[in-house]
Amino acid sequence: MSTAQELIARSNRLGADPKNTNYAGGNTSAKGTETDPVTGEPVELVWVKGSGGDLGTLTEAGLAALRLDRMRALVNVYPGVAREDEMVAAFDYCLHGKGGAAPSIDTAMHGLVDAPHVDHLHPDSGIAIATAADGEELTRKIFGDKVVWVPWRRPGFQLGLDIAAIKEANPQAIGCILGGHGITAWGETSDKCEKNSLWIIRTAERYIKANSKKLPFGARVKKWEPLSPARRRARAAELAPTLRGVASADRPMVGHFTDDKVVLDFLASRNHPRLAELGTSCPDHFLRTKVKPMVVDLPADAPIEKVLARVAELHEAYRADYAGYYDRNKVKGSPAMRGADPLIILVPGVGMFSYGANKQTARVAGEFYINAINVMRGAEGLSTYAPIDEAEKFRIEYWALEEAKLQRMPKPKPLATRVALVTGAASGIGLATAKKLAAEGACVVIADLSLEKAQSAAAEIGSTDVAVGVQVDVSDAGAVQAMVDAAVLAFGGVDLVVNNAGLSLSRSLLETTERDWDLQHDVMAKGSFLVAKATAKAMIEQGMGGDIVYISSKNSIFAGPNNVAYGAAKADQAHQVRLLAAELGEHGIKVNGVNPDGVVQGSGIFSSGWGANRAAVYGVKEKDLGKFYAQRTILKREVLPENIANAVFVLCSAELSHTTGLHIPVDAGVAAAFLR
């Protein structure tokens, strides 16, 4: 393998095990020689994992390649630690070739350390030693002279110089513990470097396991013991909309919930309030979790009304505390405060809610806090957890380089941070709508009578960070509530609801049975009511507004033959739009409808018998029904599921932020169904 390929293979192996480093945490490098295409002469290069990449999924495109001679020559122009941030821009003048990733702040460490291969990682065991009050002494005791202690220093050019000097002064050493931060290891070959990294990590793990006190977090407290799994899930679903509103007071967030055993054990301990207040230490942790979480300080089984009232008080106190942290540490030129809401909310006996600009970010924030709990356990088990102080955390959180990274992020899609729930979404209009909403940035819950089809449709759209499939019978209030619970546990809440579930039986008045009537009204009229009621409650608790869209029909206006039950149910849905628009407007919830006509392609309704019946009514072949419908329209165009999906998106977009109670006809022009 080439040097770069060898580096990628090592990085992928290290990044595949969360014990070695967290997601997108740490960086690796390798030095080697290539031929300069301009001079034809050999040139020494260093390949480094670029800014923001993930070791476990690293590819060659994620590497930055720099000329080693120019990289090391930067030492001669280094203006000192007070201006070290300027050196990041200087890395651009050391790049070899074009393309590749942007060099990260740790590039200096990799280029200046005199070793062919270098790993910088954030293992829980290593950070536990790095954050222990007597970390320097523990480093000597655990590793002897093979690993050297480096006091906390913010990542940058000076840290690279420090570690380079430490390696030179300690030829027997294979790496170092970076106080408050992580580990760095090196080696003459890629395999040796990886072996040295793993030796440091595993040696720390074994020492912690063999020497830790029995209860690192203190004795367990009965009132904070975990509820049963079913009760935890039920309480989490009750809390989720309100907690998402808490996390979204400054800007909308997507949520993630976990009741991982690591979290529950931590929260059941006597010392969790003290440790949570100390916050995280590793920069990779608190950049994603904020400096500390918000902790609900009531028993898990306290009355829900009492818990919700306490959450409001805790939120107010958290915001004031964060504003104080910002005011104490800001300096001239500090970026404006980015928001004072928590990204991690801990509920003893229930679990952890984490938040981010999208589902992946929210999930990863939770994973990082689990890393932080593991770090605290290790440090408390051997010593006392002592993270870097708040002034240093602020320097990282509001670093000009971090602000520049945030400013470089792509503009969010129109529906970013919004959680959409679509019923009848495994096929036809529902599936097209779900795909459209996901493509525009929403997280989507695919709800359908068939769980298998719902999950298959969700997988077609993307990973569980984008779409999940759930089963629902919309005519059953209990099933509808279970669907909403699943949605808020998956993504934190719900913002955009599409009442699409439906069916139709084409029969004349005299042929329509009572069962036919009840079935269609149960699914469409009653079902839409139940879904709207359950989701509106969640939206109101969030306090973030929302959208409810009914997929009604041109038949809610137009009286066609042989569809009395279907047409009446659709008329019911159409008036629900007007009634709910009037009622829910005070909560910022818009309610609108779409009136399609004859969407044959991909339709579950048409393929289940309705198409054959309508074709017989109109005297055409079933396969020609779509063309028949098109010819009777003003525009002579067949209506497709994607046309309905586009209308739903427009209704929920910022462009129609002031529109509610509207029905949009998507029927290619049916004059008899014009709204009057």
Short mmCIF file of all heavy atoms in Angstrom, two decimals, residues 259-322:
data_model
loop_
_atom_site.label_atom_id
_atom_site.label_comp_id
_atom_site.label_asym_id
_atom_site.label_seq_id
_atom_site.Cartn_x
_atom_site.Cartn_y
_atom_site.Cartn_z
N ASP A 259 -31.71 5.61 26.88
CA ASP A 259 -31.73 5.17 28.27
C ASP A 259 -30.63 4.11 28.46
O ASP A 259 -30.81 3.11 29.15
CB ASP A 259 -33.10 4.64 28.70
CG ASP A 259 -33.60 3.52 27.80
OD1 ASP A 259 -32.93 3.19 26.81
OD2 ASP A 259 -34.68 2.96 28.10
N ASP A 260 -29.49 4.37 27.83
CA ASP A 260 -28.32 3.49 27.95
C ASP A 260 -27.99 3.25 29.42
O ASP A 260 -28.12 4.15 30.26
CB ASP A 260 -27.14 4.16 27.23
CG ASP A 260 -25.94 3.23 27.12
OD1 ASP A 260 -25.26 3.02 28.14
OD2 ASP A 260 -25.67 2.74 26.01
N LYS A 261 -27.55 2.05 29.74
CA LYS A 261 -27.23 1.68 31.12
C LYS A 261 -26.18 2.61 31.73
O LYS A 261 -26.23 2.93 32.92
CB LYS A 261 -26.75 0.24 31.18
CG LYS A 261 -26.54 -0.30 32.59
CD LYS A 261 -26.15 -1.78 32.57
CE LYS A 261 -26.07 -2.35 33.99
NZ LYS A 261 -25.07 -1.67 34.82
N VAL A 262 -25.21 3.05 30.92
CA VAL A 262 -24.18 3.97 31.41
C VAL A 262 -24.83 5.24 31.96
O VAL A 262 -24.46 5.73 33.03
CB VAL A 262 -23.18 4.31 30.29
CG1 VAL A 262 -22.24 5.43 30.72
CG2 VAL A 262 -22.38 3.07 29.89
N VAL A 263 -25.81 5.76 31.23
CA VAL A 263 -26.50 6.98 31.65
C VAL A 263 -27.32 6.74 32.91
O VAL A 263 -27.26 7.51 33.88
CB VAL A 263 -27.41 7.50 30.52
CG1 VAL A 263 -28.21 8.70 30.99
CG2 VAL A 263 -26.58 7.85 29.29
N LEU A 264 -28.09 5.66 32.92
CA LEU A 264 -28.97 5.39 34.06
C LEU A 264 -28.18 5.14 35.33
O LEU A 264 -28.57 5.59 36.42
CB LEU A 264 -29.87 4.19 33.75
CG LEU A 264 -30.88 4.40 32.61
CD1 LEU A 264 -31.59 3.10 32.29
CD2 LEU A 264 -31.88 5.49 32.96
N ASP A 265 -27.06 4.43 35.22
CA ASP A 265 -26.22 4.17 36.40
C ASP A 265 -25.63 5.46 36.95
O ASP A 265 -25.58 5.68 38.16
CB ASP A 265 -25.11 3.18 36.06
CG ASP A 265 -25.61 1.76 35.89
OD1 ASP A 265 -26.78 1.50 36.26
OD2 ASP A 265 -24.86 0.91 35.40
N PHE A 266 -25.17 6.31 36.05
CA PHE A 266 -24.62 7.60 36.47
C PHE A 266 -25.66 8.43 37.21
O PHE A 266 -25.41 8.98 38.29
CB PHE A 266 -24.10 8.35 35.24
CG PHE A 266 -23.65 9.76 35.49
CD1 PHE A 266 -22.54 10.02 36.28
CD2 PHE A 266 -24.32 10.84 34.92
CE1 PHE A 266 -22.11 11.32 36.51
CE2 PHE A 266 -23.90 12.14 35.13
CZ PHE A 266 -22.79 12.39 35.93
N LEU A 267 -26.88 8.49 36.63
CA LEU A 267 -27.92 9.33 37.22
C LEU A 267 -28.49 8.75 38.50
O LEU A 267 -29.11 9.47 39.28
CB LEU A 267 -29.04 9.54 36.19
CG LEU A 267 -28.64 10.36 34.96
CD1 LEU A 267 -29.79 10.44 33.97
CD2 LEU A 267 -28.20 11.76 35.37
N ALA A 268 -28.30 7.45 38.72
CA ALA A 268 -28.79 6.84 39.96
C ALA A 268 -27.82 7.04 41.12
O ALA A 268 -28.11 6.66 42.25
CB ALA A 268 -29.02 5.34 39.74
N SER A 269 -26.67 7.66 40.85
CA SER A 269 -25.63 7.80 41.88
C SER A 269 -25.76 9.10 42.66
O SER A 269 -26.29 10.10 42.16
CB SER A 269 -24.25 7.72 41.24
OG SER A 269 -24.01 8.89 40.49
N ARG A 270 -25.21 9.08 43.85
CA ARG A 270 -25.28 10.24 44.74
C ARG A 270 -24.53 11.45 44.18
O ARG A 270 -24.92 12.61 44.39
CB ARG A 270 -24.68 9.86 46.10
CG ARG A 270 -24.71 10.98 47.16
CD ARG A 270 -24.02 10.53 48.44
NE ARG A 270 -22.60 10.26 48.19
CZ ARG A 270 -21.87 9.41 48.90
NH1 ARG A 270 -22.42 8.70 49.88
NH2 ARG A 270 -20.58 9.25 48.63
N ASN A 271 -23.41 11.20 43.48
CA ASN A 271 -22.53 12.29 43.07
C ASN A 271 -22.83 12.85 41.68
O ASN A 271 -22.11 13.74 41.22
CB ASN A 271 -21.07 11.82 43.11
CG ASN A 271 -20.62 11.51 44.52
OD1 ASN A 271 -21.15 12.05 45.48
ND2 ASN A 271 -19.64 10.63 44.65
N HIS A 272 -23.88 12.37 41.03
CA HIS A 272 -24.08 12.86 39.66
C HIS A 272 -24.36 14.37 39.59
O HIS A 272 -23.92 15.02 38.62
CB HIS A 272 -25.18 12.04 38.93
CG HIS A 272 -26.57 12.50 39.15
ND1 HIS A 272 -27.46 11.85 39.99
CD2 HIS A 272 -27.27 13.56 38.63
CE1 HIS A 272 -28.62 12.47 39.97
NE2 HIS A 272 -28.53 13.51 39.16
N PRO A 273 -25.04 14.99 40.57
CA PRO A 273 -25.24 16.44 40.45
C PRO A 273 -23.91 17.22 40.47
O PRO A 273 -23.73 18.15 39.69
CB PRO A 273 -26.11 16.78 41.66
CG PRO A 273 -26.82 15.50 41.99
CD PRO A 273 -25.81 14.43 41.71
N ARG A 274 -22.99 16.82 41.36
CA ARG A 274 -21.69 17.50 41.44
C ARG A 274 -20.89 17.33 40.15
O ARG A 274 -20.33 18.29 39.61
CB ARG A 274 -20.89 16.96 42.62
CG ARG A 274 -19.43 17.45 42.66
CD ARG A 274 -18.67 16.91 43.86
NE ARG A 274 -18.50 15.46 43.83
CZ ARG A 274 -17.52 14.84 43.15
NH1 ARG A 274 -16.65 15.54 42.43
NH2 ARG A 274 -17.41 13.53 43.21
N LEU A 275 -20.85 16.10 39.65
CA LEU A 275 -20.05 15.82 38.46
C LEU A 275 -20.64 16.47 37.22
O LEU A 275 -19.91 17.00 36.38
CB LEU A 275 -19.92 14.31 38.28
CG LEU A 275 -19.13 13.60 39.38
CD1 LEU A 275 -19.31 12.09 39.27
CD2 LEU A 275 -17.66 13.97 39.29
N ALA A 276 -21.97 16.44 37.10
CA ALA A 276 -22.61 17.09 35.95
C ALA A 276 -22.31 18.59 35.95
O ALA A 276 -22.08 19.19 34.90
CB ALA A 276 -24.11 16.85 35.97
N GLU A 277 -22.30 19.19 37.13
CA GLU A 277 -22.02 20.62 37.25
C GLU A 277 -20.60 20.96 36.81
O GLU A 277 -20.35 22.03 36.25
CB GLU A 277 -22.26 21.08 38.69
CG GLU A 277 -22.04 22.55 38.94
CD GLU A 277 -23.04 23.45 38.21
OE1 GLU A 277 -24.13 22.97 37.84
OE2 GLU A 277 -22.73 24.63 38.02
N LEU A 278 -19.65 20.03 37.03
CA LEU A 278 -18.27 20.27 36.62
C LEU A 278 -18.13 20.31 35.10
O LEU A 278 -17.22 20.94 34.56
CB LEU A 278 -17.34 19.19 37.19
CG LEU A 278 -17.09 19.25 38.70
CD1 LEU A 278 -16.31 18.01 39.15
CD2 LEU A 278 -16.33 20.52 39.06
N GLY A 279 -19.02 19.62 34.41
CA GLY A 279 -19.01 19.64 32.95
C GLY A 279 -17.97 18.72 32.35
O GLY A 279 -17.25 18.00 33.04
N THR A 280 -17.91 18.74 31.02
CA THR A 280 -16.97 17.89 30.30
C THR A 280 -15.63 18.60 30.17
O THR A 280 -15.50 19.78 30.48
CB THR A 280 -17.53 17.54 28.91
OG1 THR A 280 -17.88 18.74 28.25
CG2 THR A 280 -18.77 16.68 29.04
N SER A 281 -14.61 17.87 29.70
CA SER A 281 -13.27 18.43 29.64
C SER A 281 -12.68 18.41 28.25
O SER A 281 -12.20 19.42 27.75
CB SER A 281 -12.33 17.68 30.60
OG SER A 281 -11.04 18.27 30.63
N CYS A 282 -12.70 17.26 27.59
CA CYS A 282 -12.11 17.15 26.26
C CYS A 282 -12.81 18.11 25.31
O CYS A 282 -14.05 18.14 25.25
CB CYS A 282 -12.23 15.72 25.75
SG CYS A 282 -11.65 15.48 24.06
N PRO A 283 -12.07 18.93 24.53
CA PRO A 283 -12.73 19.88 23.61
C PRO A 283 -13.74 19.22 22.70
O PRO A 283 -14.81 19.80 22.44
CB PRO A 283 -11.55 20.45 22.82
CG PRO A 283 -10.39 20.37 23.77
CD PRO A 283 -10.60 19.10 24.55
N ASP A 284 -13.44 18.02 22.20
CA ASP A 284 -14.40 17.33 21.33
C ASP A 284 -15.71 17.08 22.04
O ASP A 284 -16.77 17.01 21.40
CB ASP A 284 -13.82 15.99 20.86
CG ASP A 284 -13.24 16.11 19.46
OD1 ASP A 284 -12.87 17.24 19.08
OD2 ASP A 284 -13.15 15.09 18.76
N HIS A 285 -15.67 16.91 23.35
CA HIS A 285 -16.89 16.66 24.11
C HIS A 285 -17.72 17.93 24.25
O HIS A 285 -18.87 17.98 23.83
CB HIS A 285 -16.54 16.11 25.50
CG HIS A 285 -15.92 14.74 25.49
ND1 HIS A 285 -15.55 14.08 26.63
CD2 HIS A 285 -15.61 13.92 24.47
CE1 HIS A 285 -15.04 12.89 26.31
NE2 HIS A 285 -15.07 12.79 25.01
N PHE A 286 -17.13 18.97 24.86
CA PHE A 286 -17.99 20.11 25.20
C PHE A 286 -18.35 20.97 23.99
O PHE A 286 -19.31 21.73 24.05
CB PHE A 286 -17.42 20.95 26.34
CG PHE A 286 -16.07 21.58 26.11
CD1 PHE A 286 -15.91 22.66 25.28
CD2 PHE A 286 -14.95 21.09 26.76
CE1 PHE A 286 -14.68 23.26 25.09
CE2 PHE A 286 -13.72 21.67 26.59
CZ PHE A 286 -13.57 22.76 25.75
N LEU A 287 -17.63 20.84 22.88
CA LEU A 287 -18.07 21.54 21.68
C LEU A 287 -19.38 21.00 21.17
O LEU A 287 -20.13 21.68 20.47
CB LEU A 287 -17.01 21.45 20.58
CG LEU A 287 -15.80 22.38 20.75
CD1 LEU A 287 -14.75 22.08 19.69
CD2 LEU A 287 -16.21 23.85 20.68
N ARG A 288 -19.69 19.74 21.52
CA ARG A 288 -20.93 19.11 21.06
C ARG A 288 -21.98 19.02 22.16
O ARG A 288 -23.16 18.82 21.86
CB ARG A 288 -20.62 17.72 20.51
CG ARG A 288 -19.82 17.75 19.21
CD ARG A 288 -19.28 16.38 18.86
NE ARG A 288 -18.68 16.35 17.53
CZ ARG A 288 -17.45 16.74 17.24
NH1 ARG A 288 -16.67 17.20 18.21
NH2 ARG A 288 -16.98 16.68 16.02
N THR A 289 -21.58 19.13 23.41
CA THR A 289 -22.52 18.95 24.51
C THR A 289 -22.77 20.22 25.32
O THR A 289 -23.56 20.20 26.24
CB THR A 289 -22.01 17.87 25.49
OG1 THR A 289 -20.82 18.35 26.13
CG2 THR A 289 -21.70 16.57 24.76
N LYS A 290 -22.11 21.31 24.97
CA LYS A 290 -22.00 22.51 25.79
C LYS A 290 -21.22 22.17 27.06
O LYS A 290 -20.94 21.01 27.36
CB LYS A 290 -23.37 23.11 26.13
CG LYS A 290 -23.76 24.28 25.22
CD LYS A 290 -24.88 25.12 25.82
CE LYS A 290 -25.07 26.43 25.09
NZ LYS A 290 -25.68 26.27 23.77
N VAL A 291 -20.83 23.18 27.78
CA VAL A 291 -19.91 22.93 28.89
C VAL A 291 -20.50 22.05 29.99
O VAL A 291 -19.78 21.36 30.70
CB VAL A 291 -19.39 24.26 29.49
CG1 VAL A 291 -18.46 24.94 28.52
CG2 VAL A 291 -20.55 25.18 29.86
N LYS A 292 -21.82 22.08 30.13
CA LYS A 292 -22.45 21.19 31.11
C LYS A 292 -23.91 20.96 30.74
O LYS A 292 -24.50 21.73 29.98
CB LYS A 292 -22.33 21.75 32.52
CG LYS A 292 -23.00 23.09 32.75
CD LYS A 292 -22.72 23.59 34.17
CE LYS A 292 -23.30 24.97 34.41
NZ LYS A 292 -22.97 25.48 35.76
N PRO A 293 -24.51 19.90 31.29
CA PRO A 293 -25.91 19.58 30.97
C PRO A 293 -26.89 20.28 31.90
O PRO A 293 -26.50 20.88 32.90
CB PRO A 293 -25.95 18.07 31.19
CG PRO A 293 -25.00 17.86 32.33
CD PRO A 293 -23.88 18.86 32.12
N MET A 294 -28.16 20.19 31.56
CA MET A 294 -29.23 20.56 32.48
C MET A 294 -29.73 19.27 33.11
O MET A 294 -29.98 18.29 32.40
CB MET A 294 -30.37 21.26 31.74
CG MET A 294 -31.46 21.80 32.66
SD MET A 294 -32.77 22.66 31.73
CE MET A 294 -34.10 21.47 31.85
N VAL A 295 -29.83 19.25 34.43
CA VAL A 295 -30.21 18.03 35.15
C VAL A 295 -31.54 18.25 35.87
O VAL A 295 -31.68 19.20 36.65
CB VAL A 295 -29.14 17.63 36.18
CG1 VAL A 295 -29.51 16.31 36.85
CG2 VAL A 295 -27.77 17.52 35.52
N VAL A 296 -32.51 17.40 35.59
CA VAL A 296 -33.80 17.46 36.29
C VAL A 296 -33.60 16.83 37.67
O VAL A 296 -33.15 15.70 37.78
CB VAL A 296 -34.88 16.72 35.50
CG1 VAL A 296 -36.19 16.69 36.27
CG2 VAL A 296 -35.08 17.37 34.13
N ASP A 297 -33.92 17.58 38.72
CA ASP A 297 -33.58 17.16 40.08
C ASP A 297 -34.79 16.65 40.86
O ASP A 297 -34.92 16.90 42.06
CB ASP A 297 -32.92 18.31 40.83
CG ASP A 297 -33.75 19.59 40.82
OD1 ASP A 297 -34.86 19.58 40.25
OD2 ASP A 297 -33.28 20.60 41.38
N LEU A 298 -35.68 15.93 40.18
CA LEU A 298 -36.84 15.34 40.85
C LEU A 298 -36.81 13.82 40.67
O LEU A 298 -36.21 13.33 39.72
CB LEU A 298 -38.14 15.90 40.27
CG LEU A 298 -38.46 17.36 40.57
CD1 LEU A 298 -39.73 17.77 39.84
CD2 LEU A 298 -38.61 17.59 42.06
N PRO A 299 -37.48 13.09 41.55
CA PRO A 299 -37.56 11.63 41.36
C PRO A 299 -38.20 11.29 40.02
O PRO A 299 -39.05 12.03 39.50
CB PRO A 299 -38.44 11.17 42.52
CG PRO A 299 -38.31 12.24 43.56
CD PRO A 299 -38.14 13.52 42.80
N ALA A 300 -37.81 10.15 39.48
CA ALA A 300 -38.29 9.75 38.16
C ALA A 300 -39.80 9.60 38.10
O ALA A 300 -40.41 9.84 37.06
CB ALA A 300 -37.62 8.44 37.76
N ASP A 301 -40.41 9.20 39.20
CA ASP A 301 -41.86 8.96 39.19
C ASP A 301 -42.66 10.12 39.77
O ASP A 301 -43.82 9.96 40.13
CB ASP A 301 -42.18 7.66 39.94
CG ASP A 301 -41.68 7.68 41.39
OD1 ASP A 301 -41.03 8.67 41.78
OD2 ASP A 301 -41.94 6.70 42.11
N ALA A 302 -42.05 11.29 39.85
CA ALA A 302 -42.78 12.47 40.34
C ALA A 302 -43.94 12.78 39.39
O ALA A 302 -43.87 12.47 38.19
CB ALA A 302 -41.84 13.66 40.45
N PRO A 303 -45.02 13.38 39.86
CA PRO A 303 -46.14 13.72 38.98
C PRO A 303 -45.66 14.55 37.79
O PRO A 303 -44.84 15.46 37.95
CB PRO A 303 -47.07 14.52 39.89
CG PRO A 303 -46.74 14.05 41.27
CD PRO A 303 -45.28 13.77 41.27
N ILE A 304 -46.17 14.24 36.62
CA ILE A 304 -45.69 14.89 35.40
C ILE A 304 -45.87 16.40 35.46
O ILE A 304 -45.02 17.17 34.99
CB ILE A 304 -46.37 14.29 34.15
CG1 ILE A 304 -45.72 14.83 32.88
CG2 ILE A 304 -47.87 14.54 34.17
CD1 ILE A 304 -44.29 14.43 32.68
N GLU A 305 -46.96 16.88 36.06
CA GLU A 305 -47.19 18.32 36.14
C GLU A 305 -46.09 18.99 36.97
O GLU A 305 -45.60 20.08 36.63
CB GLU A 305 -48.56 18.63 36.77
CG GLU A 305 -49.75 18.13 35.96
CD GLU A 305 -50.00 16.63 36.13
OE1 GLU A 305 -49.37 16.01 37.03
OE2 GLU A 305 -50.81 16.09 35.36
N LYS A 306 -45.67 18.32 38.03
CA LYS A 306 -44.62 18.86 38.88
C LYS A 306 -43.29 18.88 38.14
O LYS A 306 -42.51 19.84 38.24
CB LYS A 306 -44.51 18.02 40.16
CG LYS A 306 -43.52 18.56 41.18
CD LYS A 306 -43.53 17.72 42.46
CE LYS A 306 -42.53 18.27 43.48
NZ LYS A 306 -42.55 17.46 44.74
N VAL A 307 -43.02 17.82 37.39
CA VAL A 307 -41.77 17.75 36.63
C VAL A 307 -41.73 18.85 35.57
O VAL A 307 -40.71 19.53 35.41
CB VAL A 307 -41.61 16.36 35.97
CG1 VAL A 307 -40.36 16.33 35.10
CG2 VAL A 307 -41.54 15.27 37.02
N LEU A 308 -42.81 19.05 34.84
CA LEU A 308 -42.84 20.06 33.79
C LEU A 308 -42.67 21.47 34.37
O LEU A 308 -41.98 22.31 33.77
CB LEU A 308 -44.14 19.96 32.99
CG LEU A 308 -44.32 18.66 32.20
CD1 LEU A 308 -45.68 18.64 31.50
CD2 LEU A 308 -43.20 18.48 31.19
N ALA A 309 -43.27 21.71 35.52
CA ALA A 309 -43.10 23.02 36.17
C ALA A 309 -41.65 23.22 36.59
O ALA A 309 -41.08 24.31 36.44
CB ALA A 309 -44.02 23.13 37.39
N ARG A 310 -41.04 22.16 37.09
CA ARG A 310 -39.63 22.25 37.52
C ARG A 310 -38.70 22.43 36.31
O ARG A 310 -37.71 23.17 36.40
CB ARG A 310 -39.25 20.98 38.29
CG ARG A 310 -37.82 20.98 38.83
CD ARG A 310 -37.57 22.15 39.75
NE ARG A 310 -36.23 22.13 40.31
CZ ARG A 310 -35.56 23.23 40.69
NH1 ARG A 310 -36.13 24.42 40.59
NH2 ARG A 310 -34.35 23.12 41.17
N VAL A 311 -39.04 21.80 35.21
CA VAL A 311 -38.23 21.95 33.98
C VAL A 311 -38.19 23.42 33.56
O VAL A 311 -37.13 23.93 33.16
CB VAL A 311 -38.80 21.07 32.85
CG1 VAL A 311 -38.27 21.51 31.49
CG2 VAL A 311 -38.44 19.60 33.09
N ALA A 312 -39.32 24.11 33.65
CA ALA A 312 -39.35 25.53 33.28
C ALA A 312 -38.43 26.34 34.18
O ALA A 312 -37.71 27.24 33.71
CB ALA A 312 -40.78 26.05 33.36
N GLU A 313 -38.44 26.04 35.49
CA GLU A 313 -37.55 26.75 36.42
C GLU A 313 -36.09 26.46 36.13
O GLU A 313 -35.24 27.36 36.13
CB GLU A 313 -37.88 26.33 37.86
CG GLU A 313 -39.27 26.72 38.32
CD GLU A 313 -39.64 26.11 39.67
OE1 GLU A 313 -38.89 25.23 40.17
OE2 GLU A 313 -40.69 26.49 40.23
N LEU A 314 -35.78 25.18 35.89
CA LEU A 314 -34.40 24.79 35.61
C LEU A 314 -33.89 25.41 34.32
O LEU A 314 -32.72 25.80 34.22
CB LEU A 314 -34.30 23.26 35.55
CG LEU A 314 -34.49 22.52 36.86
CD1 LEU A 314 -34.65 21.02 36.61
CD2 LEU A 314 -33.31 22.77 37.81
N HIS A 315 -34.78 25.51 33.34
CA HIS A 315 -34.38 26.12 32.07
C HIS A 315 -34.02 27.59 32.26
O HIS A 315 -33.00 28.08 31.75
CB HIS A 315 -35.52 25.98 31.06
CG HIS A 315 -35.18 26.51 29.70
ND1 HIS A 315 -36.12 27.06 28.86
CD2 HIS A 315 -34.01 26.57 29.02
CE1 HIS A 315 -35.54 27.44 27.73
NE2 HIS A 315 -34.26 27.15 27.80
N GLU A 316 -34.84 28.30 32.99
CA GLU A 316 -34.56 29.71 33.26
C GLU A 316 -33.22 29.87 33.98
O GLU A 316 -32.41 30.74 33.64
CB GLU A 316 -35.69 30.31 34.09
CG GLU A 316 -35.54 31.80 34.36
CD GLU A 316 -36.70 32.38 35.15
OE1 GLU A 316 -37.66 31.65 35.43
OE2 GLU A 316 -36.63 33.58 35.51
N ALA A 317 -32.98 29.00 34.98
CA ALA A 317 -31.72 29.07 35.73
C ALA A 317 -30.53 28.70 34.83
O ALA A 317 -29.45 29.31 34.93
CB ALA A 317 -31.78 28.12 36.93
N TYR A 318 -30.71 27.70 33.95
CA TYR A 318 -29.63 27.28 33.06
C TYR A 318 -29.24 28.43 32.13
O TYR A 318 -28.05 28.71 31.92
CB TYR A 318 -30.05 26.06 32.25
CG TYR A 318 -28.94 25.48 31.41
CD1 TYR A 318 -28.20 24.38 31.87
CD2 TYR A 318 -28.62 26.01 30.16
CE1 TYR A 318 -27.17 23.85 31.10
CE2 TYR A 318 -27.59 25.48 29.39
CZ TYR A 318 -26.87 24.40 29.87
OH TYR A 318 -25.84 23.89 29.11
N ARG A 319 -30.24 29.09 31.57
CA ARG A 319 -29.95 30.20 30.65
C ARG A 319 -29.22 31.34 31.36
O ARG A 319 -28.29 31.93 30.80
CB ARG A 319 -31.25 30.71 30.02
CG ARG A 319 -31.86 29.74 29.01
CD ARG A 319 -33.18 30.27 28.44
NE ARG A 319 -33.01 31.53 27.75
CZ ARG A 319 -32.64 31.65 26.48
NH1 ARG A 319 -32.40 30.56 25.75
NH2 ARG A 319 -32.52 32.84 25.91
N ALA A 320 -29.64 31.63 32.58
CA ALA A 320 -28.96 32.69 33.33
C ALA A 320 -27.52 32.29 33.65
O ALA A 320 -26.60 33.11 33.56
CB ALA A 320 -29.73 32.97 34.63
N ASP A 321 -27.32 31.03 34.00
CA ASP A 321 -25.98 30.53 34.32
C ASP A 321 -25.08 30.58 33.09
O ASP A 321 -23.91 30.98 33.17
CB ASP A 321 -26.08 29.11 34.86
CG ASP A 321 -24.73 28.54 35.26
OD1 ASP A 321 -24.21 28.97 36.31
OD2 ASP A 321 -24.18 27.68 34.53
N TYR A 322 -25.63 30.18 31.94
CA TYR A 322 -24.81 30.19 30.72
C TYR A 322 -24.46 31.62 30.32
O TYR A 322 -23.33 31.90 29.89
CB TYR A 322 -25.53 29.47 29.58
CG TYR A 322 -24.64 29.30 28.37
CD1 TYR A 322 -23.77 28.22 28.27
CD2 TYR A 322 -24.64 30.25 27.35
CE1 TYR A 322 -22.93 28.08 27.17
CE2 TYR A 322 -23.80 30.11 26.26
CZ TYR A 322 -22.95 29.03 26.17
OH TYR A 322 -22.11 28.90 25.09
#
